């Protein structure tokens, strides 16, 4: 057995479910209705995309549950890729997940600008620098987002995190805030289901509208894979993880749908979109909250969303740095990422690397919202693909597996879902293909990955397999399914 320090098994099923739901319902739930869902897919196209995405992503969750039960260790898809395919695949999967997590930190940092500009119109819009993707970048907003990045980096550097209880409270606050928003919109004289017309965006076909939303499912529901990340801390049977993840996904769908419908039903949504387009920096959900509750109500909503931004930024800051730490400890990344601060006992160099990458976000302005959604979807989609393929190898290579045919079917559907999402985002001509800017960012990330991979290859390839296995999985007795 490994001599690594074991984590305390203290998480209840309710806590784990709230953790997953709180991670799923982040800033994107509040900003994307006005920025992406309604203008690019329409209300019905968005709802269908949600439903199709949730149903198919649930098969990925089932594959994750197999792997959680087989290897209840922290590390998630990175560890599972190692079990199924070895260190090379683990590096590819881990590096893809890092950009997926970094992108979520970036979108939350960009959200700070949106929230503060909504609450304090004009205060941060000074020192015009340039325009990018149709959005003007101001020095004030750059300073604000830079300060936010450094703040969260600092509290992680010092080892100060939000307490788990606070995370859960904020998750419940978000849920009640969304319910209040939906209820408030229904009381408006202008509110009507008839306002949700046209049902699909006139910019693309009905199928293209649905595929556009489905393609970013890995981003929309990324929070459910926090469940396997916490597997070592379960105070219950890991087999219950499947139901927890599926429940969290469909609760997330419901909350996403309620926010989108709130924005769409308040007034005819083409009218609202025209208003937002004229104001450029407006926040659709905030505008609707103002209509429903007045300025005070919109501030309350903004405070709740600010809580989501803070917990999301802090949580994925931790996830990114700890994933880099895990990859370093396994020998797959350079030891530099795994160095622990002598005083604060944190992976401070991994945190510094995270800070440096995220500090690019302020200079992309509001356009970073769309870019980071695309990059996160690609990165997490690759992680889901490796998980499903690894689960298939484990099931095929293990004896006495109950309902093997059904489990292999789930692995097949999960694999197809991940492949479809990745192809829709990357293949030219796809209705959901990512833009040039995020594509360039991904290309740079791949090049950076090659540099780290080959700079450390001689080290990890010389390590005994049992040693790498112990470093990745924390134990030597978990069987792996790749040629050594």
């Amino acid at each position: 057995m490994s001599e690594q320090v074991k984590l305390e098994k203290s998480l209840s099923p309710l806590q784990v479910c709230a953790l997953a739901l709180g991670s799923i319902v982040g800033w994107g739930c509040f900003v994307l209705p006005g920025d992406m869902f309604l203008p690019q897919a329409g209300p019905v196209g968005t709802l269908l995309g949600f439903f199709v995405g949730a149903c198919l992503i649930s098969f990925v969750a089932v594959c994750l549950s197999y792997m959680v039960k087989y290897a209840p260790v922290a590390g998630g898809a990175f560890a599972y890729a190692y079990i199924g395919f070895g260190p090379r695949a683990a590096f590819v999967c881990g590096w893809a997940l890092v950009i997926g997590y970094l992108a979520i930190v970036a979108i939350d940092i960009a959200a700070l600008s949106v929230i503060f500009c909504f609450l304090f119109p004009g205060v941060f819009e000074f020192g015009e620098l340039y325009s990018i993707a149709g959005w003007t970048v101001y020095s004030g907003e750059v300073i604000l987002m830079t300060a936010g990045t450094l703040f969260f980096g600092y509290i992680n550097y010092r080892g100060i995190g939000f307490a788990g209880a606070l995370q859960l409270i904020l998750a419940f606050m978000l849920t009640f805030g969304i319910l209040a928003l939906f209820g408030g919109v229904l009381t408006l004289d202008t509110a009507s289901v008839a306002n949700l017309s046209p049902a699909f965006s006139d910019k693309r076909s009905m199928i293209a509208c649905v595929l556009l939303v489905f393609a970013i499912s890995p981003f929309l529901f990324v929070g459910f894979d926090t469940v396997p990340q916490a597997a070592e801390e379960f105070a219950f049977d890991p087999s219950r993880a499947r139901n927890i993840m599926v429940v969290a996904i469909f609760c997330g769908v419901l909350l996403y749908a309620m926010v989108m419908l709130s924005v769409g039903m308040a007034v005819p949504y083409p009218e609202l979109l025209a208003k937002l387009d004229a104001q450029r920096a407006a926040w659709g959900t905030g505008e609707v909250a103002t209509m429903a509750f007045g300025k005070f109500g919109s501030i309350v909503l903004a405070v709740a969303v600010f809580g989501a931004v803070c917990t999301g930024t802090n949580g994925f800051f931790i996830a990114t740095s700890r994933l880099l730490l895990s990859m370093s400890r396994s020998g797959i990344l350079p030891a530099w990422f795994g160095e622990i601060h002598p005083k604060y006992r944190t992976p401070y160099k991994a945190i510094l690397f995270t800070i440096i990458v995220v500090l690019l976000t302020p200079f992309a302005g509001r356009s970073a919202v769309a870019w980071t959604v695309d990059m996160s979807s690609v990165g997490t989609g690759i992680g889901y693909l490796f998980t499903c393929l690894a689960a298939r190898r484990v099931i095929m290579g293990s004896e006495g597996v109950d309902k093997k045919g059904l489990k292999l079917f789930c692995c097949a559907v999960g694999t197809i879902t991940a492949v479809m999402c990745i192809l829709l985002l990357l293949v030219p001509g796809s209705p959901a293909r990512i833009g040039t800017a995020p594509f360039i960012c991904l290309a740079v990330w791949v090049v950076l990955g090659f540099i780290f991979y080959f700079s450390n290859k001689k080290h990890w390839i010389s390590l005994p397999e049992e040693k790498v296995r112990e470093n990745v999985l924390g134990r030597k007795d978990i069987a792996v399914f790749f040629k050594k």
Side-chain angles (χ1 to χ4, degrees):
M1 295 292 289
S2 170
E3 296 180 357
Q4 293 178 12
V5 176
K6 301 298 181 183
L7 300 175
E8 182 181 358
K9 296 182 180 298
S10 59
L11 292 177
S12 69
L14 181 60
Q15 288 175 316
V16 174
C17 188
L19 173 66
L21 182 61
S23 299
I24 290 173
V25 184
W27 168 248
C29 179
F30 297 91
V31 70
L32 293 180
D35 275 22
M36 180 180 184
F37 294 150
L38 291 174
Q40 297 188 36
V44 175
T46 299
L47 290 176
L48 290 175
F50 284 162
F51 181 74
V52 173
C55 288
L56 294 179
I57 286 291
S58 292
F59 286 94
V60 178
V62 171
C63 294
L64 272 170
S65 72
Y66 298 156
M67 298 306 295
V68 169
K69 187 176 181 180
Y70 180 77
V73 296
F78 167 68
Y80 307 150
Y82 177 79
I83 292 172
F85 301 96
R88 292 180 180 85
F91 175 85
V92 173
C93 180
W95 196 245
L97 282 176
V98 170
I99 188 60
Y101 292 161
L102 277 172
I104 296 173
V105 177
I107 194 175
D108 282 331
I109 291 298
L112 289 176
S113 172
V114 180
I115 294 173
F116 277 86
C117 288
F118 175 74
L119 292 176
F120 309 104
V123 173
F124 295 94
E125 295 176 356
F126 64 84
E128 182 176 334
L129 298 176
Y130 48 82
S131 293
I132 183 169
W135 298 100
T136 302
V137 178
Y138 295 95
S139 298
E141 295 179 353
V142 169
I143 294 171
L144 174 65
M145 287 187 276
T146 299
T149 302
L150 295 176
F151 171 75
F152 286 109
Y154 176 72
I155 64 173
N156 276 275
Y157 186 93
R158 290 288 302 266
I160 303 173
F162 290 114
L166 179 59
Q167 294 274 20
L168 296 180
I169 290 171
L170 289 172
F172 283 115
M173 285 176 57
L174 282 174
T175 301
F176 286 117
I178 291 173
L179 292 173
L181 173 66
F182 189 72
V185 167
L186 293 180
T187 64
L188 291 174
D189 294 335
T190 58
S192 172
V193 176
N195 290 337
L196 299 173
S197 179
F200 299 88
S201 171
D202 56 6
K203 299 178 181 178
R204 50 181 56 87
S205 68
M206 292 186 292
I207 293 178
C209 289
V210 176
L211 290 177
L212 176 71
V213 177
F214 162 72
I216 64 169
S217 294
F219 165 80
L220 297 176
F221 307 121
V222 64
F224 79 88
D225 60 354
T226 58
V227 173
Q229 294 286 357
E232 286 187 33
E233 299 166 271
F234 287 177
F236 54 91
D237 188 338
S239 63
R240 300 177 66 179
R242 178 190 62 192
N243 293 339
I244 291 173
M245 288 187 284
V246 173
V247 167
I249 288 171
F250 280 95
C251 286
V253 168
L254 179 61
L255 295 177
Y256 266 101
M258 291 180 73
V259 175
M260 187 277 295
L261 290 173
S262 297
V263 176
M265 289 194 306
V267 293
Y269 85 84
E271 178 183 323
L272 176 65
L273 294 178
K275 179 181 179 181
L276 297 178
D277 186 62
Q279 296 179 8
R280 297 304 295 165
W283 175 26
T285 310
E287 294 290 335
V288 170
T290 301
M291 294 172 59
F293 302 109
K295 190 64 177 178
F296 176 76
S298 65
I299 292 175
V300 172
L301 176 66
V303 170
V305 177
F306 182 72
V309 169
C310 290
T311 54
T313 303
N314 189 59
F316 281 102
F317 231 115
I318 293 172
T320 304
S321 59
R322 270 51 177 185
L323 178 56
L324 290 169
L325 171 66
S326 178
M327 294 175 72
S328 174
R329 282 180 170 173
S330 67
I332 294 174
L333 270 184
W336 184 88
F337 288 97
E339 293 189 20
I340 303 298
H341 195 283
K343 179 179 179 180
Y344 302 123
R345 310 304 299 169
T346 57
Y348 69 107
K349 289 189 176 179
I351 292 170
L352 289 174
F353 176 81
T354 303
I355 292 172
I356 291 170
V357 175
V358 176
L359 279 176
L360 299 175
T361 302
F363 298 95
R366 181 73 172 269
S367 57
V369 172
W371 295 2
T372 52
V373 169
D374 291 340
M375 289 187 289
S376 179
S377 297
V378 174
T380 52
I382 292 172
Y384 296 163
L385 175 61
F386 273 106
T387 297
C388 295
L389 293 174
R392 181 182 182 279
R393 281 205 167 185
V394 171
I395 293 168
M396 290 290 291
S398 302
E399 297 181 358
V401 178
D402 296 331
K403 300 179 180 178
K404 179 177 287 190
L406 178 60
K407 292 179 178 180
L408 290 175
F409 171 76
C410 291
C411 292
V413 176
T415 299
I416 293 170
T417 300
V419 170
M420 286 176 60
C421 290
I422 295 169
L423 292 179
L424 283 169
L425 291 164
L426 297 180
V427 172
S430 165
R433 186 179 184 275
I434 66 175
T436 302
F439 192 87
I440 293 174
C441 292
L442 284 175
V444 171
W445 187 253
V446 170
V447 171
L448 190 60
F450 272 108
I451 294 173
F452 283 126
Y453 176 83
F454 286 105
S455 68
N456 209 51
K457 183 178 179 181
K458 288 183 179 180
H459 169 66
W460 63 256
I461 206 170
S462 65
L463 295 174
E465 190 280 323
E466 282 193 354
K467 181 61 177 176
V468 178
R469 188 193 317 183
E470 183 179 21
N471 290 339
V472 174
L473 305 177
R475 296 162 51 182
K476 296 179 181 179
D477 60 338
I478 298 177
V480 294
F481 295 84
F482 61 90
K483 293 182 179 180
K484 305 175 184 64

